[in-house]
Amino acid sequence: EVNQELINEAIELVKENQKVIVFAGLTDNYESEGFDRKHIRIPTNQLKLIEAVSSISNQIIVVLQNGAPIEMPWIQDVSAILESYLGGQSGTGAAIDILFGKVNPSGKLAETFPLKLEDDLASHWFANSKLTVEYRESIYVGYRYYDSADKQVLFPFGHGLSYTSFEYNDLSMDSLAISDNDCLNISFKVKNIGQIAGSEVIQLYVKDVASTIYRPEKELKRFDKIFLLPNEEKIVTFTLDKRAFAYYNININDWHVESGGFEILIGASSRDIKLSNVILVEGDNNVQVPNYKETAPEYYEIEKVVGKISGNSFKTILGRTIPAAKAGLMAEYTINSTLGDVKNTFIGKKIHKMVEDNFLKMLDGVPEDDTTAVMMKAMVNEMPLRSMVLMGGGMLDFTTAEGLIAMMNGKYLRGGLKIAFNKIASINWEFK
């Protein structure tokens, strides 16, 4: 919650100091193991704090501690951001070394930071149903979607700044035309043109210039990290084989290379391409390429998709009817249903309360609105029934769980008999 008294105290500190470091990020009840995030915002009190201190000083550095992307509506109001993710017990020491210039940061993002959650293609239907998840985005995940759709992002995949600068030159390939059974050798030079030693993560992407099947704008195929002293230059080499140019062809259940031009892209991120050239690849032209242009056009023109991909297009590439998203009291519960799902039933409600109470007992009197207690409740809610068997220390076996599930599905006689016979068999086995 927003504490204005603490914010006022922070403002007074900012007035007395030229440079300010704000540590911000995600608390345990916003992000942890065992449950999904509902949004990508940071807590409101942190948001208000950053807004308040940045309104009176432009010398604000924000050090983030979070496990995944977040929204940053304040990004234009601060002078620098250090993304430290979840650094563990040595994380703060590492942050100090970077902030005071003892170490030159050289990390690159292994994910795209969107401007907002709704910008992500998968967010429009992911986990909208309790029992089914539709991956309508298909291959358009992360940068493969954002770059293909030419969508504005907060930070692109592979992005990362440094206290020095690097120059890329002299891209060379040992051939400009190969068959799909050949390997392509690529080399180029990278030079540290700054005054500080540092590392650079070089990324190689491949783009199918005129693909028949739908494919991303570019695909990461190789990367390397090199350390360079000031004014030092090194030659970087990559080798690409057939898989670098291939897509998975469902007609042959194997990887297939289409004949045609492929662009080789060398960059510092997916959107910071430094060098490029085109190679002609001769593939297997006797293989039929799947064609969904008429029946699933959105996947070929992903930049035109606004919001959702239609169910008809998804059904086409799925190759079968989309499973119904069952819901309600008499849904067909399974071993993979969560405790949150089954608490709609009498038995499920009892099990849910028992597990939640046991979790909260471990906190030894911590208030229910405490951060850790909220996290525990969320974990229980999203715990699948199978986890009760796997992590229950032998208190519950799969056969008994199946009996309970049958009873949750309204099949009380069948479930009761299953549990009873399982108990009898267990006693008989112990007797032997």
Side-chain angles (χ1 to χ4, degrees):
E1 295 180 1
V2 177
N3 187 322
Q4 193 58 48
E5 186 177 333
L6 289 176
I7 290 179
N8 292 339
E9 185 180 333
I11 290 173
E12 293 304 314
L13 285 170
V14 172
K15 290 178 180 178
E16 298 170 6
N17 294 273
Q18 290 183 331
K19 293 182 173 62
V20 179
I21 302 171
V22 177
F23 284 81
L26 299 175
T27 57
D28 287 345
N29 59 332
Y30 271 61
E31 173 192 60
S32 185
E33 297 181 23
F35 64 91
D36 292 328
R37 296 162 72 194
K38 305 302 181 185
H39 55 76
I40 58 171
R41 299 185 298 272
I42 63 173
T44 304
N45 57 345
Q46 297 186 33
L47 186 63
K48 294 298 182 183
L49 173 66
I50 296 172
E51 289 175 352
V53 297
S54 62
S55 68
I56 59 175
S57 173
N58 60 0
Q59 294 295 305
I60 306 293
I61 297 171
V62 176
V63 179
L64 293 172
Q65 296 175 309
N66 49 293
I70 60 171
E71 293 177 5
M72 302 182 200
W74 37 264
I75 190 170
Q76 300 300 328
D77 301 323
V78 301
S79 57
I81 300 169
L82 173 60
E83 173 58 85
S84 58
Y85 282 110
L86 303 177
Q89 63 181 8
S90 298
T92 305
I96 290 171
D97 288 343
I98 291 172
L99 291 170
F100 286 89
K102 294 181 180 179
V103 173
N104 188 354
S106 57
K108 297 293 184 87
L109 294 177
E111 56 196 342
T112 305
F113 274 52
L115 292 173
K116 57 184 185 299
L117 178 62
E118 293 74 22
D119 288 341
D120 192 85
L121 195 61
S123 70
H124 296 282
W125 49 80
F126 181 79
N128 287 343
S129 163
K130 288 186 176 182
L131 300 180
T132 62
V133 175
E134 297 177 10
Y135 292 87
R136 293 196 187 193
E137 68 275 13
S138 181
I139 59 172
Y140 295 111
V141 178
Y143 77 92
R144 294 176 175 226
Y145 166 64
Y146 293 109
D147 290 1
S148 299
D150 195 22
K151 205 172 189 69
Q152 186 180 357
V153 298
L154 190 61
F155 297 111
F157 174 85
H159 172 78
L161 300 182
S162 169
Y163 293 150
T164 189
S165 300
F166 300 94
E167 185 177 76
Y168 292 60
N169 287 300
D170 300 337
L171 175 62
S172 174
M173 301 190 297
D174 61 359
S175 178
L176 295 179
I178 61 172
S179 74
D180 61 1
N181 292 317
D182 297 330
C183 288
L184 177 67
N185 297 305
I186 301 163
S187 65
F188 52 93
K189 296 176 182 177
V190 179
K191 183 177 182 180
N192 183 347
I193 58 174
Q195 303 301 312
I196 300 174
S199 297
E200 173 72 329
V201 179
I202 302 111
Q203 300 150 50
L204 186 155
Y205 298 85
V206 169
K207 174 182 178 179
D208 192 339
V209 177
S211 176
T212 302
I213 188 69
Y214 65 90
R215 295 185 70 165
E217 168 72 14
K218 63 176 76 73
E219 301 171 45
L220 179 71
K221 296 300 179 180
R222 301 286 186 274
F223 67 91
D224 195 9
K225 184 175 185 177
I226 61 171
F227 178 81
L228 295 170
L229 297 170
N231 295 315
E232 184 181 7
E233 184 176 69
K234 286 184 179 179
I235 296 176
V236 179
T237 60
F238 290 117
T239 298
L240 300 182
D241 56 15
K242 173 181 180 178
R243 281 289 297 274
F245 307 100
Y247 70 96
Y248 192 80
N249 189 319
I250 62 171
N251 289 338
I252 60 174
N253 292 326
D254 200 357
W255 295 92
H256 173 232
V257 178
E258 275 195 284
S259 296
F262 288 83
E263 198 168 357
I264 307 299
L265 307 168
I266 308 295
S269 80
S270 72
R271 297 201 176 181
D272 186 10
I273 303 301
K274 307 290 189 180
L275 305 169
S276 65
N277 204 346
V278 176
I279 178 80
L280 291 175
V281 181
E282 182 64 33
D284 187 350
N285 297 321
N286 296 319
V287 172
Q288 182 182 0
V289 178
N291 190 342
Y292 305 116
K293 279 188 177 181
E294 298 297 325
T295 52
E298 290 114 315
Y299 291 100
Y300 292 82
E301 298 179 320
I302 200 68
E303 71 281 358
K304 294 182 181 180
V305 172
V306 178
K308 298 183 178 181
I309 288 175
S310 68
N312 287 335
S313 288
F314 180 55
K315 179 182 175 181
T316 297
I317 67 163
L318 185 64
R320 55 189 171 88
T321 302
I322 303 173
K326 297 179 182 177
L329 184 62
M330 296 302 293
E332 190 69 28
Y333 300 114
T334 70
I335 196 71
N336 296 315
S337 298
T338 67
L339 291 178
D341 293 337
V342 302
K343 71 177 182 179
N344 291 324
T345 69
F346 176 78
I347 293 175
K349 185 177 181 179
K350 296 292 185 183
I351 295 174
H352 184 281
K353 187 176 188 311
M354 178 190 71
V355 175
E356 185 177 84
D357 287 347
N358 285 335
F359 267 66
L360 293 178
K361 278 181 184 177
M362 294 188 292
L363 301 181
D364 194 23
V366 171
E368 288 197 8
D369 59 350
D370 179 82
T371 296
T372 308
V374 173
M375 178 189 71
M376 287 288 194
K377 288 182 178 180
M379 290 175 64
V380 170
N381 220 38
E382 298 194 19
M383 177 188 290
L385 291 169
R386 66 177 184 274
S387 295
M388 292 184 60
V389 180
L390 298 173
M391 301 189 301
M395 292 180 63
L396 182 69
D397 57 42
F398 276 108
T399 304
T400 302
E402 289 170 0
L404 290 171
I405 292 167
M407 295 172 74
M408 292 176 200
N409 287 321
K411 302 168 184 175
Y412 294 100
L413 180 60
R414 181 186 299 180
L417 289 173
K418 193 177 210 39
I419 294 172
F421 283 125
N422 184 51
K423 185 65 176 175
I424 293 170
S426 176
I427 291 172
N428 188 44
W429 174 256
E430 290 175 5
F431 176 76
K432 287 181 179 179

